[in-house]
Amino acid sequence: MSAPHKSGGVARIDARLAACQAEGRAALITFVTAGDPDFDTSLAVVEALPGAGADLIELGMPFTDPMADGPAIQAAGLRALAGGQTMVRTLELVARFRTRDTATPIILMGYYNPIYIYGVERFLGDARAAGVDGLIVVDLPPEEDAELCLPALEAGLAFIRLATPTTDDARLPAVLANTAGFVYYVSITGITGSATPDFGKVTAAVQRIKGHTRLPVAVGFGVRTAAHAATVAACADGVVVGTALVERVKAALDAEGCGSAATAEGVAALVRELAAGVRGAAKSDAA
């Protein structure tokens, strides 16, 4: 396994979130699926995100059985797989991005099966070498930390845990025990893109989680518009948007389902709107 780079991994995530906090605002965290609809288009989309206002990037690892994802992200994963995306190519995409951007944190998000098949030690070494900073693996609970979480932390990668509306105060300590980077609060009960959150309940949940940890709290699932983003940014440390961006990728494909120069610009246009919402939000005293 390659040695951790001091400038990357947990340190890069921490530095970016601290910079956003110093500006008195939440971070905008954008999700797109690696390889959707093809490698070159996907790379162009990812490269366009920071300039449009994304502070951190979550990159979905395509998988055939994405149980926590709604139809839009499931379809994106299938497009990517049909376009030849593999774990090797996902890591190559990160490495290519890193030749132009060494500051924006990259977090791989997905499921354990592709990592297990790749080989955990090999994956962690290759991910670190490519410039990956953290992992969100939605189907590995704290009871399975020895599988990936602890080795990832040892390799210098943040392992970012999900908390949900059903994660009570008794469960939170286990969820937070080995979490690094930030806590990802899932604002709805269900799959991605399936509903609009109750923002009053989101604010209360963020306050509750902050009573258990000093880590930043980011909120995702159901955040689709600049207005949604502004509302969440007023109470949370980060705003995660995924389904709306994946839908924008699909909308910008041609009649044959292929990407073009318009695809990256279409996604970037939405990110600029979301970034304006996040940056225009007043932070609440509770945050």
Side-chain angles (χ1 to χ4, degrees), residues 94-190:
V94 176
R96 291 273 296 277
F97 174 84
R98 281 281 171 248
T99 65
R100 296 191 179 190
D101 187 319
T102 59
T104 303
I106 293 279
I107 298 158
L108 295 185
M109 183 171 186
Y111 301 84
Y112 184 48
N113 183 271
I115 296 171
Y116 177 78
I117 297 300
Y118 193 92
V120 169
E121 184 173 357
R122 175 190 172 208
F123 169 78
L124 292 175
D126 290 353
R128 201 70 175 88
V132 172
D133 300 301
L135 305 173
I136 301 173
V137 182
V138 302
D139 56 347
L140 277 183
E143 289 75 16
E144 304 296 335
D145 274 358
E147 286 285 332
L148 181 63
C149 173
L150 296 180
L153 292 171
E154 186 177 342
L157 295 170
F159 197 88
I160 297 158
R161 190 82 69 190
L162 303 178
T164 74
T166 60
T167 307
D168 60 21
D169 287 339
R171 179 64 173 167
L172 263 176
V175 170
L176 297 170
N178 293 309
T179 298
F182 60 91
V183 181
Y184 187 143
Y185 178 66
V186 177
S187 62
I188 59 174
T189 302

